[in-house]
Each structure stands twice: as C-alpha cells, then as structure tokens.
C-alpha cells in the first residue's frame, strides 16, 4: 500500500518538501503505516466502503476507458477519491504482479516449449518476442514535454513502450520496462532499457523490421531473428528472404496477439492519456500485460477451445504453464534434447556427466537439469563482458556445482 501523500504533492507538508522532515515510512511494521491503515479503514466505514468497492472502481476505470468523473459518479464517490484509488491500486497491483511473474528460467521455458517453434526454427533457443507499442497521449502545454512525446510515425503525441513475451505469450516483470516519449526510436529504447539482458547467452530474440539492434544484441551474446527489409530499388525479395520473413512472421505473431489483447481488455489505453497521469502510465501498461498471464496460452496449430479430450478439466493459463509446471497440447518438454537448446560447452558438459559412473541411472532430463543449474550461459556472458572491460553485475557461474 502506498500512501496518497507520496502520490499527491499538495498533501506533503512544507517541512517534507524542503527536506527538513523525513517522509512517512511505508514499512508494514512501522507505526506510521499502521496509523495510515487505521485512517483508511475509518474513512471507508464512514461511507460503508471496503477495499472491494475501491478495486471495482479501479477495474471499471481501466476496463471501460471512461473518464474519472464518470466512474466516480457511477460508484458514488468524489473525483478526488477516485484519483486516490487509481494511484493506490496501481502501486499495489504493479508490485504484486511483478513478484508473481519474475523472469522464467531456462528450465521453465524448456519444459513447455511449442512444437511450432521447433518446426520453424529447428532449435529451441528462442526466449523473447519483442515489439514496440505506442499509446496516444494529450498534447502538453510544456514545449519540452510536447517535443519528447511527439511521434513522427503516428503524427501525434504518444507514449512508447517496449513489450516482450515468451513463446507461449506469457509476460514477466522485466519484459515490459518503463516507457518513453514517442520521439524515442526502437533502437534507442532497446539500448536504454537493456531488455536483451534477460535473454540467456546464445539464445534468440525475434523482433520486427525496425529493430536494427544486432550490434546491441552482440554485446550481450544474444542472436536477433528479424525479417529482411527490401533493399533500395528492389521490387521483390528473393525466395530465401521471403521464406525467412514468413517464418519469423508466423512465429512472431504471438506478441502481436498479446498487444491486441492488452488494448482490448484495458480500453483505458485506447483513449488519450492525460498529461497528469504520465507518472503512472508505465505501471498501468505493465499491469495490463501481466494480467494477460491469466489467459489461455497462445499455441500455434492448436485450438485451445477444442474438446478433443473429454476427460480434460480445462486448459491451464499461461502463468500455470510457464511457472508452475503445467502443460497442454502443442507443448513439449525438450530438456532431454540437449542438441536443440544447448551451447557447445553445455553439450560437452552433458556428455561428460552422462559418462560418469555416479550418473549412470539418471535420465537425460535429470542430467540436463544439472547442466542448466550450473548456469553456463552466465559464464559465457561474463567472459564476453571481460573482453570489452565491462563490469558484469548479474548472477555468477555456479562453480560449486561444477566441481561436484
């Protein structure tokens, strides 16, 4: 829970503004936080409102795309209270959903990998589908803000976001970084947000034609799969380039479906974003994408609504498939097929472990889990950073597991 004092500047005392007094602590064990909860409960009791009523008002506002005044009138609350509900629930949901959906591990991705991607790519090393999303915003009277938000592509002020998802349409906290003004390019935002760092070393990210980020990706050891552009004065692409473009487009359509689902469910994003909500728009967009994890997984060549198996109790959602070990038709566990996803060093390590007498009774999947737990991708990325004298701040190679 975040206090309204941290969201509304006029509620902050002059001592806090000048730095003479510390802001109230939002630690759940602090006395200030407990006093805030008491005041909130007292305020709700006066109007016979509960947190469910506040969440309903918040959901109506995002789902319908109506104005705050209309939703406040509909729920029987004041416009100022509606603004407080928007800021409070935005903070709560953003923090909670990011904790629920962290970046999946390689093991979690490989245990439920789409067969369609293996058929198209010939490997199981695709980790991220990346795209850019632009949302229309109001024209600001501040010339600096107006210049930053104006999009040459949309010919209108916009707020731009990078949005990524996994191979089944799942989104994690790191795949939807904070947005930027519409003036920013895809390449600039990819470099600034470091979104490619979540892709394991040697894995692939599928992007659109406008993402000329091969040099940026090479700094992190990531391969880019991008459709080919037509060259100058070229009327038609070659047969090879056409096949490559169709292959990438057929698999990358998943991120387009996710983006469409967000704009369909959160109709607030289809209206002009008010300038005074620029401070929370990144969190609202992230909430919209993370809520997509409760939908059915996007699996090509498979209809999730078909009832082929009458004994099936239902199709698991994307979050259950990716983070909790569920599976459904069209997904395969490829952990035992080391040649489909492993680096050369991981293949050699897998072969070495398999020949050990202590591991003769273990399956291919169990040995693959041992290789994955050693995090060879981190070791290779650290070596890559050392070549350019860059500081590596991520997790380290598990030397303790390797020595066993």
């Amino acid at each position: 829970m975040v206090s309204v004092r941290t969201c509304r500047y006029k509620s902050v005392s002059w001592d806090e503004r000048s730095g003479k007094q510390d802001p109230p602590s939002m630690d759940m064990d602090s006395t200030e936080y407990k006093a805030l909860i008491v005041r909130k409960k007292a305020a709700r009791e006066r109007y016979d409102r509960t947190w469910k009523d506040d969440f309903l008002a918040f959901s109506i506002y995002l789902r319908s795309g109506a104005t705050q005044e209309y939703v406040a009138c509909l729920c029987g609350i004041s416009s100022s209270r509606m603004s407080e509900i928007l800021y409070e629930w935005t903070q709560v949901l953003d923090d909670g959903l990011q904790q629920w959906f962290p970046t999946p591990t390689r093991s979690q991705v490989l245990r439920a990998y789409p067969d369609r991607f293996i058929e198209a790519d010939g490997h199981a090393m695709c980790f991220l589908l990346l795209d850019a999303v632009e949302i229309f915003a109001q024209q600001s009277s501040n010339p600096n803000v107006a210049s930053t938000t104006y999009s040459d592509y949309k010919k209108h002020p916009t707020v731009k976001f990078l949005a990524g998802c996994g191979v089944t349409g799942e989104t994690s906290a790191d795949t939807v970084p904070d947005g930027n003004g519409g003036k920013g390019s895809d390449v600039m935002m990819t470099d600034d947000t470091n979104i490619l760092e979540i892709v394991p070393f040697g894995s692939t990210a599928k992007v659109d034609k406008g993402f000329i980020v091969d040099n940026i990706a090479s700094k992190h050891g990531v391969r880019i799969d991008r459709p080919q552009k037509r060259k100058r004065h070229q009327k038609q692409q070659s047969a090879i380039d056409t096949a490559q473009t169709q292959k990438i487009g057929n698999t990358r359509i998943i991120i387009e479906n996710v983006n469409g689902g967000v704009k369909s469910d959160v109709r607030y994003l289809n209206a002009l974003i008010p300038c005074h909500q620029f401070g929370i728009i990144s969190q609202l967009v992230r909430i919209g994408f993370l809520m997509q994890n409760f939908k059915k997984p996007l699996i090509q060549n498979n209809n999730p609504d078909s009832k082929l198996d009458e004994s099936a109790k239902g199709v698991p959602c994307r979050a259950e498939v990716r983070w909790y070990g569920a599976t459904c038709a069209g997904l395969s566990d490829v952990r035992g097929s080391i040649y489909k996803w492993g680096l050369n060093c991981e293949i050699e390590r897998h072969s070495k472990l398999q020949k050990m007498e202590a591991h003769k009774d273990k399956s291919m999947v169990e040995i693959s889990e041992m290789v994955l737990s050693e995090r060879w991708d981190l070791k290779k990325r650290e070596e890559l950073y050392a070549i350019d004298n860059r500081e590596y701040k991520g997790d380290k190679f598990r030397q303790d597991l390797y020595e066993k």
Side-chain angles (χ1 to χ4, degrees), residues 171-189:
T171 56
S172 61
D174 296 329
T175 57
V176 189
D178 292 341
N180 206 333
K183 187 178 181 179
S185 65
D186 299 338
V187 179
M188 182 270 291
M189 294 186 65

Side-chain angles (χ1 to χ4, degrees), residues 253-269:
I253 194 65
I254 291 178
I255 182 60
E256 303 290 351
N257 293 338
V258 173
N259 294 343
V262 172
K263 291 187 176 181
S264 176
D265 297 339
V266 187
R267 296 172 187 171
Y268 160 84
L269 302 177

Side-chain angles (χ1 to χ4, degrees), residues 202-375:
S203 296
T204 303
K206 293 181 182 290
V207 297
D208 200 3
K209 293 181 179 180
F211 284 82
I212 314 298
V213 294
D214 300 77
N215 293 336
I216 300 174
S218 63
K219 297 178 181 179
H220 306 292
V222 177
R223 295 185 296 179
I224 294 297
D225 212 355
R226 184 183 65 252
Q228 296 293 330
K229 280 187 174 183
R230 283 192 302 176
K231 300 177 182 180
R232 182 176 296 180
H233 306 303
Q234 184 182 16
K235 296 183 179 180
Q236 186 176 0
Q237 288 183 331
S238 63
I240 297 177
D241 291 344
T242 302
Q244 177 75 1
T245 301
Q246 292 177 350
K247 182 200 74 170
I248 298 174
N250 291 338
T251 52
R252 201 185 145 275
I253 194 65
I254 291 178
I255 182 60
E256 303 290 351
N257 293 338
V258 173
N259 294 343
V262 172
K263 291 187 176 181
S264 176
D265 297 339
V266 187
R267 296 172 187 171
Y268 160 84
L269 302 177
N270 296 330
L272 291 180
I273 304 301
C275 295
H276 66 271
Q277 293 182 2
F278 283 172
I280 60 172
I281 182 59
S282 295
Q283 296 167 302
L284 291 173
V285 171
R286 190 179 299 114
I287 289 172
F289 274 93
L290 294 179
M291 290 293 286
Q292 298 297 303
N293 291 325
F294 296 104
K295 290 185 175 182
K296 296 178 182 178
L298 296 172
I299 304 174
Q300 295 175 316
N301 300 338
N302 178 60
N303 182 9
D305 297 324
S306 61
K307 298 182 179 179
L308 300 178
D309 186 5
E310 296 295 337
S311 63
K313 297 182 180 179
V315 179
C317 66
R318 302 170 194 175
E320 188 177 0
V321 169
R322 184 54 64 223
W323 285 279
Y324 298 98
T327 186
C328 57
L331 300 178
S332 301
D333 188 349
V334 297
R335 289 176 294 174
S337 304
I338 181 69
Y339 289 98
K340 292 182 179 180
W341 55 264
L343 304 173
N344 291 334
C345 56
E346 291 176 325
I347 296 175
E348 295 175 1
R349 177 62 173 168
H350 189 280
S351 177
K352 183 178 179 181
L353 291 174
Q354 192 176 9
K355 295 177 181 179
M356 291 184 179
E357 185 68 21
H359 303 150
K360 63 179 182 179
D361 296 331
K362 294 184 178 180
S363 63
M364 295 288 288
V365 174
E366 292 175 333
I367 297 178
S368 296
E369 280 292 342
M370 296 175 62
V371 175
L372 289 169
S373 63
E374 294 175 353
R375 302 304 305 271

Side-chain angles (χ1 to χ4, degrees), residues 192-211:
D192 290 347
T193 58
N194 291 324
I195 191 173
L196 294 178
E197 285 188 354
I198 67 176
V199 183
F201 181 92
S203 296
T204 303
K206 293 181 182 290
V207 297
D208 200 3
K209 293 181 179 180
F211 284 82

Side-chain angles (χ1 to χ4, degrees), residues 3 5 32 34-44:
S3 172
R5 296 165 60 89
E32 295 172 333
K34 294 178 180 178
L36 171 68
I37 295 300
V38 172
R39 292 197 300 271
K40 290 294 181 184
K41 290 182 178 179
R44 292 196 185 103

